Amino acid sequence: MPLSVGAPRLLLRRLREVMAERESAQARLDKVVVLVASNMVAEVCSLYLRRRDTSLELFATEGLNPEAVHNTHLKAGEGLVGLIAEHGEPMQFADAQTHPAFSYRPETGEEVYHSFLGVPILRAGHTIGVLTVQNRTQRHYSDEEVEALQTTAMVIAEMIASGGLAVSEEGGQEARREQSARFTGVTISEGVALGHVVLHEPRIVVTKLIAEDVEFERRRLAQAIDELTGMIDGMLERGDLQRAGEHREVLEAFRMFAHDRGWRRRLDEALLTGLTAEAAVQRVRNDTRARMLRQIDPYARERLHDIDDLSNRLLRVLAGGVGTAAAGNLPQDTILIARTMGPAELLDYDRQRLRGLVLEEGGAASHVAIVARALGIAAISQAKGVLDAVEAGDAAIVDAEGGELHVRPTPEVVAAYADKVRFRARRQAQYAALRNVPAVTLDGERVSLNINAGLVFDLPHLDQSGADGIGLFRTELQFMIASTFPRLEQQTRIYKAILDAAGERPVTFRSLDVGGDKVLPYFRVNKEENPALGWRAIRMALDRPALFRTQVRALLRAAHGRELRIMLPMIGDVAELTAARALIDREVTILKRHGRLEPRKLLVGAMIEVPALLFQLDRVLPLADFASVGSNDLMQFLFATDRGNMLVADRFDALNPAGLMALRVIVEAAARHDVPLNLCGEMAGKPLEAMALIGLGFRSISMAPASVGPVKAMVLSLDRSDLWVRLQELLACKSTSVREELKSYAAEKGVQI
Ligand code: PEP
Ligand code: MG
């Protein structure tokens, strides 16, 4: 017998009354099953909840033997109830007992019931229980009935989650929430952090589930969807993506789903059962999440992920435009978790409270990763599935040495990591003690250790790390966090502050390296097929000289009689270097004409990161005052592996002989032309890689501030000429990475790596 149209709403109203009663949880659950059974004209309604051991326990029943309550347990996957829990979706059977999965439990007395409908009770996509109805006759349950039962299941789930129904200490949700979980990812900023989870995009807890006025809720939802689509369209039109760390593809997918009829229909159906707008969004989101968790096809999973994200945003619009967690009260030991994030968004957080960062997406070379390193917080990325498994406030440990995240860790894990943190602190103290010790190898070679910087908050690192100078100042970071092009005066102020802070220590300013994946929110560029090979860096500077010249002018003014070092990124041939130099010379002439003080010394250098330059070194180097190897780009181009694509980024090791031989060619050419040489890619900050670089002949390298200590400890324990001999042998005979051989070398010779 199908439900009448008003029945689901009536059921919801009654449910609300039951939930509001001041009775024990058990008494309320007992009433819920009676209500559902009578409302759906079913002889049986039963509620099973998942326990800590993952079995499903019969918690309440109308129609089955009351003695079975709390005595019937089904193992994971056992019986039709187990099957529904496993699949996380509604199932019905006209003749349940003939189904191969049917599990006969004599204590329940259910053998007389033929029809069976069960729906999962879902929380954050996970099944925490199953709600069933049964009838004696063989019958088909209508879509409306399935929908009504699902809605009831959702109400029960929300009540459990919000603590309104403390069913049992061992209740399913409690059990899941208490289970510790471990995720692996890729380290993007080294460190170990213990703290508590903050979700960058807070989840809205839906408290009001049942609508007073369905039409009113429909209007609210329609308005919210309009507002959300307007926001997405606006962002796409303005190209205002970078600040929010948005990917155009994701927003485009959002736009597609926001107009998706199926999604809207499901929302509408949920509303018709009598839910509030928020609860309807949550209902559809729960189903989506459940489907997502079961998806094997990564593409389909990703799309479902997008719908899940979209629902989250819609909930935030309905809640009145709740922003990101940055604006809220953060715990002192925040472990920030997000799917993706832009560098500027990370900078919105109070640094004093940030301990760790975990992202589901984004490579180690992404901008947010660079900012995380600059902030010195432990960060990992590519931690898939984390958002499905955490709640705000969960205890968490980010191990950005091993690339792991522990959520709700056991006391043993906490103790082990507390030890690790103490050990790291001791090591940091040892490094700090080396701060004023010059980096000299055992055989007397002085190595210049510099930091990479790009933001004003990097400046204290110069003193703290004891570095010799700033080997790479990525000027584009300032541009990336601004909302419009920084004007001449603004740029001058920043560059001056940096030179002031550095004092006598040299600072190498790299001219704007934007384009490719480094997008400026306010600067439109055409979409490119291969952005890393596209219109970027020096290419853009030469095509738009006004931009470049403004920057050079600001640098010249900031230097005001001091030494100025300007480094040009992505130089591909001699002509690019000479053209850029001519523009710089013109600015010097203008400076003089205006009677301003010239730099005491102006040095113009080239980055060596385009492989073609390897074959023009003898022509380019004589025209450069210094050179610096951008090994991140050089290796990505040399091995043809996209540095931001996790599927290939690790495919070739920078310690592959091909890479090292390319570096050796550069070292030899720089020596021939007596041009000072530095290397400022990420490999310089890793002690083993840095050891190889010094072995090859680099005397100056530049790295994230936190790496200076460990790299200096390595330098102080290294006999550079001995390593040089070993390296030559290795490069002569090996054709794959020499990583293991170098590790053995370090162990054998006592080099601290
Ligand atoms: C490099 O390419 O190695 C480099 C230092 O520059 P960036 O990482 O900013 O491209
Ligand atoms: Mg580069």
Side-chain angles (χ1 to χ4, degrees), residues 365 370 452 472 474 476 510 513 518 536 607 609 629-634 643 680-682:
I370 289 172
N452 292 346
L472 164 65
R474 290 182 163 101
E476 63 274 8
R510 175 172 71 185
D513 184 3
K518 298 184 192 172
R536 54 175 288 201
M607 281 196 80
E609 49 186 351
V629 180
S631 55
N632 301 337
D633 276 319
L634 183 64
R643 64 194 253 194
C680 55
E682 298 306 310

Side-chain angles (χ1 to χ4, degrees), residues 1-8 36-42 92 117 135 137 139-148:
M1 193 189 303
L3 277 177
S4 69
V5 174
V36 175
S38 76
N39 193 271
M40 294 190 61
V41 201
Q92 62 166 302
L117 165 65
N135 282 77
T137 52
R139 56 157 300 198
H140 177 79
Y141 297 94
S142 69
D143 287 351
E144 289 76 25
E145 285 171 308
V146 177
E147 189 72 29

Side-chain angles (χ1 to χ4, degrees), residues 644-709:
N645 178 344
M646 296 316 296
L647 290 176
V648 296
D650 291 337
R651 201 169 185 85
F652 291 99
D653 192 344
L655 295 179
N656 185 297
L660 295 179
M661 284 194 267
L663 295 176
R664 186 171 62 183
V665 166
I666 300 169
V667 170
E668 288 168 356
R672 254 194 327 275
H673 296 282
D674 197 20
V675 171
L677 180 68
N678 180 56
L679 183 142
C680 55
E682 298 306 310
M683 66 185 294
K686 299 176 182 157
L688 186 72
E689 279 84 339
M691 180 183 93
L693 293 173
I694 292 162
L696 282 174
F698 280 92
R699 289 292 163 273
S700 175
I701 50 179
S702 184
M703 64 207 75
S707 295
V708 174

Side-chain angles (χ1 to χ4, degrees), residues 705-725:
S707 295
V708 174
V711 170
K712 192 184 276 185
M714 179 278 295
V715 171
L716 294 172
S717 55
L718 175 70
D719 181 338
R720 119 84 202 163
S721 42
D722 185 67
L723 173 61
W724 189 84
V725 174

Side-chain angles (χ1 to χ4, degrees), residues 61-115:
T61 185
E62 162 69 1
L64 296 186
N65 183 358
E67 300 288 304
V69 171
H70 297 303
N71 287 321
T72 293
H73 290 96
L74 295 164
K75 288 199 290 291
E78 186 188 345
L80 299 178
V81 170
L83 197 66
I84 291 164
E86 204 167 69
H87 287 259
E89 60 188 24
M91 290 184 186
Q92 62 166 302
F93 309 94
D95 193 4
Q97 291 159 45
T98 58
H99 192 282
F102 182 78
S103 165
Y104 177 56
R105 290 306 183 92
E107 74 271 16
T108 62
E110 68 179 322
E111 57 276 18
V112 295
Y113 304 106
H114 287 282
S115 321

Side-chain angles (χ1 to χ4, degrees), residues 512-535:
L512 204 54
D513 184 3
V514 290
D517 66 327
K518 298 184 192 172
V519 188
L520 300 184
Y522 41 85
F523 188 51
R524 260 174 200 270
V525 286
N526 292 333
K527 196 169 177 335
E528 296 179 307
E529 276 295 313
N530 294 297
L533 307 177
W535 196 57

Side-chain angles (χ1 to χ4, degrees), residues 218-235:
R218 284 178 106 169
R219 279 199 303 278
R220 281 184 65 224
L221 186 59
Q223 260 170 18
I225 293 178
D226 280 352
E227 196 178 318
L228 182 66
T229 45
M231 260 155 52
I232 295 170
D233 288 347
M235 262 198 264

